[in-house]
Amino acid sequence: MPPATTFFLIILVNFLAIITNSCSASRPRSSPEFPAILIFGDSTVDTGNNNYIHTLFKGNHYPYGKDFKGHVPTGRFSNGKLAPDLIASMIKIKDTVPPFLHPKLSDKDILTGVSFASAASGFDELTTVASGVIPFSKQVHYFKKYLARLERIVGEKQAKKIVNRALVIVAAGTNDFVFNFFDIPTRKLEFNISGYQDFVQKRLVSYIEELYDNGCRRIAVSGLPPIGCLPIQRSIQFWRNRSCVEDQNMGAKVYNHKLERVLAKTQAKLPGTKVVYVDVYEPLLDLINYPEKYGFVETKRGCCGTGLIEAGPTCNVLTPTCHEASKYLFWDSIHPSEATYKYLAQYLKEVLPKLYSNHFAHARDYFV
């Protein structure tokens, strides 16, 4: 082979190697960006913790779980999976997120994350007084117990690394306003709506700071949904002809605007962290206003029973259900169907890149 041809082939091989390496570097890594998922909040993210406490607020009976694998009720307040399950599956952590209080929680479950959430909970301690569910403060306490077990499994250094890089989802607040302000106006004796919004968010920030102090660095916080469009809220305000309760929606909207600003300020105070606001209001409102775009046929009532007031103990084995839950935006009078959670999970997944490690300032100081 002539020298010139040999030289050309060497140059070509080197060029192709550079291109190949460049392409490989731009591909997503095979290892997950988040090694674990940690969930705090209310019934929208409670995967079964209320099964193990004394409360009426349980979803561990049929027809809950009607479309879950094996058609078994798991304590999830829906016909199937919740958004945390779907997100965990999408980002290749695991298929479902177990509740922390499950008595047979394995070491593998601990390594990849759990839910500490409790149905009917909120940021305001008053929210859980009557229901007996797990207040947010106790959810954080359980997280510390989780952290201690994680350290026993992998050691302190590796445990810190896992928690640093874990996806932390916080989803609560609706019960605070429904139980304490809109339907049972206990807090109206102390606050106007603006003052109560500030009070709830102050509590939330204190919990975020506590999670930060215990190693959490990637935190996604959900805003409020359009509360006034929940079937049960439409039913309570029956004289409105079951239209959305606009003053409740406006309260949620203002809360969300404040929350977005509060979270930005909170992030600025916590070095090496990302605290991201997740808007569920607009995606849900779009599903409600334009159901045909998403394959839904019913948005004003749930699939369980009449769909007007049934939830928890009143949605039970004796209660008839609709034929196709996937056509219903809501499963019962409060909680979305699995089909709705799929859309919300997809939306949340699009927000996650904001939490990736290459978005962090000084991230290397914390991922050790």
Side-chain angles (χ1 to χ4, degrees):
M1 184 180 293
T5 304
T6 302
F7 178 75
F8 174 78
L9 286 174
I10 292 171
I11 294 296
L12 180 61
V13 168
N14 287 335
F15 176 76
L16 290 173
I18 291 169
I19 293 295
T20 301
N21 289 336
S22 176
C23 291
S24 297
S26 65
R27 291 191 200 110
R29 290 178 296 171
S30 58
S31 60
E33 179 69 33
F34 305 100
I37 185 167
L38 302 169
I39 310 294
F40 302 84
D42 58 22
S43 57
T44 58
V45 289
D46 177 4
T47 57
N49 283 307
N50 277 20
N51 293 352
Y52 308 104
I53 62 174
H54 295 293
T55 180
L56 290 175
F57 290 83
K58 295 180 188 283
N60 61 348
H61 53 270
Y62 198 82
Y64 289 104
K66 177 174 173 285
D67 301 306
F68 197 82
K69 184 179 180 181
H71 310 289
V72 294
T74 61
R76 291 168 173 81
F77 283 77
S78 189
N79 59 306
K81 292 182 177 182
L82 304 183
D85 302 310
L86 298 164
I87 283 291
S89 180
M90 284 178 181
I91 60 179
K92 304 188 186 317
I93 296 177
K94 52 178 146 189
D95 289 334
T96 56
V97 181
F100 176 68
L101 294 184
H102 194 291
K104 295 183 179 179
L105 207 61
S106 69
D107 286 354
K108 184 178 179 182
D109 290 328
I110 292 292
L111 286 170
T112 51
V114 296
S115 173
F116 304 94
S118 177
S121 189
F123 301 123
D124 184 351
E125 294 284 306
L126 183 61
T127 302
T128 61
V129 169
S131 63
V133 303
I134 307 166
F136 210 92
S137 57
K138 194 166 185 180
Q139 293 182 34
V140 176
H141 169 72
Y142 282 144
F143 166 64
K144 293 174 184 176
K145 293 180 71 174
Y146 159 89
L147 188 54
R149 181 173 170 185
L150 182 63
E151 289 176 356
R152 289 196 297 271
I153 296 168
V154 296
E156 185 178 349
K157 184 176 181 180
Q158 184 63 19
K160 181 181 178 183
K161 184 176 181 181
I162 290 170
V163 171
N164 279 175
R165 296 185 60 230
L167 169 60
V168 179
I169 296 177
V170 176
T174 300
N175 295 319
D176 294 319
F177 287 89
V178 170
F179 291 162
N180 299 326
F181 207 88
F182 294 138
D183 295 351
I184 307 171
T186 313
R187 286 297 191 188
K188 279 188 176 180
L189 300 174
E190 303 172 68
F191 304 103
N192 60 20
I193 184 65
S194 180
Y196 189 55
Q197 290 164 350
D198 296 341
F199 171 81
V200 169
Q201 290 181 7
K202 185 177 180 181
R203 299 302 306 141
L204 166 58
V205 169
S206 71
Y207 293 132
I208 291 174
E209 290 172 345
E210 195 170 358
L211 291 175
Y212 175 84
D213 289 342
N214 285 275
C216 297
R217 294 293 181 269
R218 303 172 168 196
I219 306 172
V221 182
S222 169
L224 296 180
I227 295 174
C229 292
L230 299 179
I232 196 166
Q233 294 306 104
R234 294 178 190 253
S235 298
I236 290 171
Q237 307 284 340
F238 59 89
W239 59 86
R240 297 173 182 263
N241 197 29
R242 294 196 52 74
S243 60
C244 293
V245 187
E246 289 308 323
D247 61 324
Q248 295 183 9
N249 280 359
M250 182 54 66
K253 209 169 183 179
V254 172
Y255 174 95
N256 291 340
H257 287 315
K258 287 183 175 183
L259 179 62
E260 197 166 7
R261 294 194 297 269
V262 164
L263 293 180
K265 291 178 181 177
T266 302
Q267 177 180 290
K269 291 193 303 181
L270 305 176
T273 193
K274 275 287 185 179
V275 184
V276 175
Y277 167 71
V278 181
D279 177 19
V280 295
Y281 186 101
E282 292 301 334
L284 262 177
L285 198 62
D286 201 54
L287 292 172
I288 291 167
N289 290 336
Y290 307 101
E292 64 283 351
K293 285 198 317 185
Y294 305 96
F296 292 109
V297 296
E298 179 57 69
T299 64
K300 293 185 178 181
R301 62 189 183 94
C303 173
C304 187
T306 65
L308 306 180
I309 57 170
E310 294 88 351
T314 55
C315 174
N316 55 53
V317 69
L318 301 177
T319 313
T321 58
C322 66
H323 291 299
E324 286 188 81
S326 62
K327 301 293 183 184
Y328 280 64
L329 187 68
F330 294 96
W331 165 247
D332 59 22
S333 66
I334 300 172
H335 305 102
S337 65
E338 181 185 57
T340 303
Y341 281 127
K342 285 179 180 178
Y343 285 107
L344 295 179
Q346 189 60 49
Y347 177 78
L348 176 56
K349 186 184 177 186
E350 293 172 7
V351 176
L352 295 185
K354 295 180 181 179
L355 296 171
Y356 287 173
S357 54
N358 60 359
H359 283 258
F360 280 70
H362 312 301
R364 69 183 64 186
D365 296 337
Y366 297 90
F367 298 163
V368 295

